[in-house]
Amino acid sequence: MGRDGRRGTAERHATLPAGMRDAVDSFAQHLALVDNRSTHTVRAYVADVVSLLDHATRMGVRTPAGLDLAVLRSWLARQRTVGAARATLARRAATARTFSAWAHRAGLVATDPGAALASPKPHRRLPAVLRADQAEQLMPPADSTADPLPARDRLVLELLYATGVRVSELCGLDIADVDQVRRIVRVLGKGGRERTVPYGEPAEAALRDWLRRARPELAGPRSGDALLLGAKGGRLQTAVARRIVAAAAHAAGLPRTTPHGLRHSAATHLLEGGADLRSVQELLGHAALSSTQLYTHVSVERLRQAYRQAHPRA
């Protein structure tokens, strides 16, 4: 990859023509304020759009008005030549379509060139999941020491598996989001969509221990209403939650596990236990049922493996 491919988003943004820079900034503002996208999502969209407009500039296009289907296809072709995966190409094509549709609505382009842009469908790999007995092994026993961190780590693991929430959703929880009487938690998910998720008795026991005994030991001026706290009293960061899960899996002698792996595991075990697809969709906060249907493939694959091992005529 040449020097241009190594340049960062900020450097590329700074070298864009003024009209292109203004378009990127306005698009980012629209994503954050109108579409209510997360900071992470806005950053990813902006990186792709800056790459697209940088490519267009090199083709002699100086304003968004010059974007057409040929430019979009040329950009994707360039991504393919430098080794971008099918999933990455599909994501970047989706970004190009989103940006061009916005630019058309904003009057920056006369027609929407992205409407005719096709993209490769990404391969949907089956997610890695723990077996139910492995998920049980992952959960540490109650800790009676004075150190508050084991109690917090236990709650992180119990809530991730019990609720199937995303790690960002977990770290964003406030104390008021938890109803211990009904054992439910209010989660603010992608796109600002709110949902209510139940949790079971083991998670409740971990939560009670954390709130009564351990959290007060860590709480300080930076804690606010955050449910989960870091070692210095601030809201727990997602990177720390990921380390907690990885360390617990390593200590239990289990395969490498992530918070998203626990989300996959929770969904799969619910379906294997007889939960219907719509209920699992609601629990996970999926906007489309197609996202939840992926877990049925996991369950079917496990059924197929069991059949091969056990049926005399398999």
Side-chain angles (χ1 to χ4, degrees):
M1 184 181 294
R3 180 180 181 278
D4 293 332
R6 293 195 299 267
R7 290 190 303 154
T9 298
E11 184 181 350
R12 288 186 176 188
H13 178 275
T15 59
L16 289 174
M20 297 292 210
R21 286 200 309 273
D22 291 345
V24 172
D25 296 342
S26 296
F27 179 59
Q29 187 176 41
H30 173 86
L31 290 173
L33 301 182
V34 179
D35 290 350
N36 198 27
R37 302 297 183 97
S38 70
T39 302
H40 175 77
T41 299
V42 173
R43 189 183 303 118
Y45 268 103
V46 166
D48 285 345
V49 170
V50 167
S51 173
L52 166 62
L53 297 185
D54 178 67
H55 181 83
T57 301
R58 294 174 183 279
M59 294 179 66
V61 178
R62 307 296 297 176
T63 67
L67 289 177
D68 58 20
L69 185 57
V71 172
L72 301 185
R73 286 174 172 169
S74 174
W75 176 62
L76 289 179
R78 170 62 181 164
Q79 307 300 310
R80 188 164 55 248
T81 60
V82 297
R86 287 170 62 92
T88 301
L89 289 172
R91 191 202 76 222
R92 288 176 177 166
T95 298
R97 285 192 292 269
T98 301
F99 175 72
S100 68
W102 168 84
H104 178 52
R105 292 195 304 271
L108 300 180
V109 293
T111 60
D112 178 6
L117 182 67
S119 61
K121 290 186 178 181
H123 295 299
R124 302 191 75 183
R125 290 181 291 181
L126 297 180
V129 297
L130 297 175
R131 300 191 308 269
D133 63 301
Q134 290 177 321
E136 185 74 22
Q137 294 172 36
L138 184 71
M139 303 302 160
D143 186 278
S144 58
T145 65
D147 186 356
L149 294 183
R152 180 206 61 191
D153 296 355
R154 175 183 171 218
L155 179 58
V156 166
L157 294 163
E158 288 284 5
L159 279 180
L160 282 172
Y161 179 59
T163 63
V165 295
R166 302 175 178 92
V167 65
S168 59
E169 296 170 343
L170 176 81
C171 293
L173 291 175
D174 289 337
I175 295 175
D177 293 327
V178 181
D179 183 339
Q180 290 184 262
V181 175
R182 294 189 293 167
R183 288 212 302 264
I184 57 175
V185 59
R186 186 176 69 247
V187 180
L188 188 64
K190 288 185 175 181
R193 293 188 295 271
E194 187 177 292
R195 68 187 189 278
T196 300
V197 183
Y199 59 87
E201 293 182 0
E204 171 59 25
L207 177 65
R208 188 166 54 247
D209 181 50
W210 164 249
L211 289 177
R212 293 180 182 176
R213 179 182 65 83
R215 188 184 185 280
E217 295 295 320
L218 290 176
R222 300 174 54 232
S223 302
D225 297 325
L227 174 65
L228 292 160
L229 303 178
K232 296 182 179 180
R235 184 180 293 274
L236 183 68
Q237 299 299 303
T238 57
V240 177
R242 291 188 179 94
R243 287 199 294 270
I244 290 169
V245 175
H250 179 74
L254 297 174
R256 182 178 178 275
T257 307
T258 66
H260 206 60
L262 288 182
R263 178 172 162 85
H264 287 321
S265 300
T268 302
H269 298 162
L270 280 166
L271 288 168
E272 290 179 341
D276 66 273
L277 203 58
R278 287 288 183 185
S279 296
V280 176
Q281 177 192 5
E282 183 175 351
L283 186 144
L284 295 179
H286 284 157
L289 188 62
S290 59
S291 298
T292 316
Q293 286 173 329
L294 176 62
Y295 299 103
T296 64
H297 301 314
V298 179
S299 299
V300 168
E301 181 58 29
R302 286 192 171 186
L303 179 61
R304 184 179 291 111
Q305 291 175 359
Y307 179 86
R308 288 170 180 162
Q309 293 173 359
H311 198 286
R313 295 183 69 83

